Amino acid sequence: MIAAVGETLADPADPRMLRSRYDRTIGALEAAVAPERIAYFFFEDLFRQDTVERIAAFLGIAPPQANAAQRVNEGRSLPIPDDLARTFRAGFAPQYDFVNARFGDAVPAAWHRL
């Protein structure tokens, strides 16, 4: 399995890899859209009231009340063997580095455990 993952990670043209290219996506977005029309939010923060209020302010709407306690379609984490986790971390290191350099302290703590 590690060999197959390694092959995918090494193929920059693989559609799964292209979808994970934050640098590419953000570059294309910023080339096409005025900066004042762009806001970035991390999934890990989306359901906090302060983030909901920031999103609403950006959109120019009244903020709804966030209900962070309600879980809908919640996934579950599966254990990943250490060697596979290291392979993923190495393969996605350029993206983690880009996001950390770009967003600094705004990057959620969970990203630093990857």
Side-chain angles (χ1 to χ4, degrees):
M1 180 190 311
I2 292 175
V5 169
E7 288 175 21
T8 298
L9 292 171
D11 181 1
D14 185 294
R16 293 167 292 193
M17 295 307 296
L18 290 174
R19 284 192 302 270
S20 71
R21 293 278 312 272
Y22 292 109
D23 60 334
R24 184 174 179 252
T25 301
I26 289 172
L29 176 66
E30 292 177 351
V33 178
E36 66 273 8
R37 295 182 53 101
I38 300 172
Y40 295 104
F41 300 92
F42 288 90
F43 175 82
E44 292 86 350
D45 300 329
L46 284 181
F47 306 101
R48 293 189 345 229
Q49 186 61 37
D50 63 317
T51 304
V52 169
E53 290 171 4
R54 286 179 40 229
I55 293 169
F58 177 77
L59 296 172
I61 62 172
Q65 184 63 41
N67 184 356
Q70 180 183 5
R71 304 289 183 184
V72 178
N73 296 326
E74 185 175 9
R76 60 185 171 101
S77 296
L78 299 174
I80 298 174
D82 289 342
D83 52 349
L84 189 55
R86 282 190 298 275
T87 300
F88 278 122
R89 177 63 177 104
F92 290 111
Q95 297 313 309
Y96 296 134
D97 293 345
F98 170 81
V99 169
N100 281 309
R102 177 65 189 261
F103 298 105
D105 292 339
V107 177
W111 282 60
H112 300 288
R113 291 189 297 270
L114 300 172

